Amino acid sequence: MAPSKVLTGARVVLPTGIADGGRVIVDGTRIADRAPADAETLDVTGHWLVPGFVDIHNHGGGGASFSGSAEDSLTAVHAHRRHGTTTVVASTVTDDMGVLAKQAGLLSELAEQGEIAGIHFEGPFISPCRKGAHSEALLRHPDPAEVRKLIDAARGHAKMVTLATELPGGIDSVRMLAEHGVIAAIGHTDAGYEQTVEAIDAGATVATHLFNAMPTLGHRAPGPIAALLEDERVTVELINDGVHLHPAALELAFHHAGAARVAFITDAMDAAGSGDGRYMLGPLEVEVADGVARLVEGGSIAGSTLTLDRAFRRAVTVDRLPVEDVVRALSANPARLLGMDDRVGSLEPGKDADLVLLDEDFTLKGVMRRGEWVVDPRLG
């Protein structure tokens, strides 16, 4: 077990606010309320200390994806950990049902080992009108029996399913997911306002990358965006990479939903933390140029190359959001959604010692996961 540590002098972001010159005590894998006598002290004055980031929508990184082998998945996990994401849900993309079921089995083993927090199925139960970077030939209606096959294949580790709830079987699938404790997320949808309200009433609680892959907000046809923003039961995912959203759209979401209902995500694909080039997203080929991923055929945006440390820095330096609100969107809110807020998402005694150290310009300098340095600030 690693020696106990006391990190002192930082601006510590706590659930109660910012503690200037605060300290965080790490004893073993947990945050403690008092320091053992033999604890080592690390002075991090001039830095920010925030909870480890929680990403509920992530397809890969470091040149590998969660649709590949166990080794590929671990490569992606470790790539994002180096950027502060200490808790990650592995997202799949549309594929043949047999392939997805097999992948669910593989990913469930990583969940059992504590490497990932669970599985998110994005597709195949989505609208061909709003398919984005998903293979149209493999899309299908969200029949509850079919959705249940994937949930069963995940062996208790399915955390979320993205659905176009206006499709046949959509509302019944939402109810089934809610009954099984799996998040029903509305996304890649062509639903109208009233159809979206019906899905929320049936139990849907997340908007998959709000604004993207859904009808735009109109003054006569407000569509799903208005329904998702106005309902207190819904948490909205936002991709804050400067590509997927105009800053005004992000400001609108924060203003209307409030900081308690926003979850920053990456929607990252293989190229996150890796670089430009050709990649595969499920069965589709992607070209990444200047950090923007697009399908080779058709040119649709194909996920992102975002890491959550970049999302954090952009949120506070470009979008001018309060640091406390950004921490909620990156850590506390997604942890609550996953039902893991008793363990992660905030810097409180008894919780996992997952934390991120940022300099005064909000550039990542250190990452700790369960008491062990992933990125050691003393080696930088």
Side-chain angles (χ1 to χ4, degrees):
M1 184 178 291
S4 301
K5 310 169 186 69
V6 182
L7 282 67
T8 65
R11 301 191 75 187
V12 183
V13 182
L14 302 169
T16 53
I18 297 172
D20 288 310
R23 70 174 188 165
V24 173
I25 301 166
V26 176
D27 190 8
T29 64
R30 305 269 183 176
I31 298 171
D33 55 5
R34 66 179 58 172
D38 61 347
E40 62 174 324
T41 299
L42 178 62
D43 187 348
V44 289
T45 300
H47 291 73
W48 290 87
L49 203 53
V50 302
F53 308 142
V54 181
D55 193 355
I56 61 172
H57 188 156
N58 186 316
H59 297 280
S65 84
F66 290 119
S67 295
S69 66
E71 183 179 0
D72 289 339
S73 294
L74 286 173
T75 295
V77 166
H78 294 146
H80 284 280
R81 278 186 194 163
R82 290 191 292 272
H83 290 275
T85 299
T86 50
T87 302
V88 63
V89 173
S91 300
T92 63
V93 294
T94 294
D95 212 321
D96 178 81
M97 285 290 287
V99 171
L100 289 173
K102 182 179 179 182
Q103 195 63 24
L106 181 152
L107 291 171
S108 68
E109 293 180 11
L110 295 180
E112 287 159 10
Q113 295 163 17
E115 299 289 350
I116 63 174
I119 306 165
H120 162 220
F121 296 102
E122 187 181 25
F125 312 111
I126 60 176
S127 171
C129 302
R130 305 286 175 175
K131 65 183 184 298
H134 291 256
S135 173
E136 184 169 354
L138 295 170
L139 300 182
R140 57 202 301 140
H141 291 160
D143 177 85
E146 295 290 287
V147 179
R148 179 66 187 271
K149 287 179 183 177
L150 293 186
I151 301 307
D152 290 345
R155 304 202 302 260
H157 297 289
K159 290 294 185 179
M160 183 162 67
V161 178
T162 292
L163 306 161
T165 54
E166 76 278 8
L167 295 176
I171 297 299
D172 287 339
S173 289
V174 168
R175 293 193 182 100
M176 183 273 293
L177 290 168
E179 289 170 1
H180 285 81
V182 178
I183 297 166
I186 299 172
H188 288 275
T189 177
D190 203 40
Y193 175 85
E194 291 78 9
Q195 291 171 313
T196 305
V197 169
E198 182 184 8
I200 297 169
D201 286 340
T205 56
V206 166
T208 293
H209 42 54
L210 186 74
F211 299 107
N212 297 114
M214 60 181 63
T216 57
L217 182 65
H219 64 290
R220 292 194 183 93
I225 294 171
L228 294 163
L229 280 176
E230 73 183 8
D231 199 298
E232 296 293 326
R233 296 169 291 183
V234 176
T235 297
V236 298
E237 295 181 349
L238 298 176
I239 309 171
N240 192 25
D241 61 353
V243 175
H244 282 78
L245 296 176
H246 189 282
L250 182 133
E251 183 180 3
L252 172 69
F254 257 92
H255 177 77
H256 203 77
R261 293 204 291 120
V262 171
F264 279 140
I265 61 163
T266 60
D267 192 18
M269 46 80 71
D270 304 27
S274 186
D276 290 354
R278 289 276 179 117
Y279 297 87
M280 297 300 294
L281 184 61
L284 302 178
E285 192 172 13
V286 175
E287 176 78 33
V288 179
D290 297 325
V292 180
R294 294 185 179 276
L295 290 183
V296 171
E297 185 176 340
S300 293
I301 292 178
S304 85
T305 61
L306 187 63
T307 52
L308 285 183
D309 59 327
R310 285 171 45 212
F312 192 118
R313 191 169 192 274
R314 180 179 176 84
V316 295
T317 62
V318 176
D319 303 309
R320 302 295 180 183
L321 294 171
V323 173
E324 305 97 309
D325 289 353
V326 177
V327 167
R328 292 176 77 177
L330 283 167
S331 302
N333 295 344
R336 170 182 47 78
L337 270 176
L338 296 175
M340 298 179 66
D341 50 339
D342 60 331
R343 288 179 43 208
V344 299
S346 60
L347 299 177
E348 296 178 273
K351 294 192 177 183
D352 289 351
D354 293 354
L355 54 87
V356 176
L357 189 69
L358 306 162
D359 68 15
E360 59 185 6
D361 295 320
F362 300 98
T363 299
L364 184 142
K365 294 297 180 183
V367 180
M368 179 183 289
R369 184 175 186 267
R370 297 181 184 174
E372 298 278 359
W373 288 113
V374 177
V375 176
D376 193 329
R378 296 168 294 187
L379 302 179

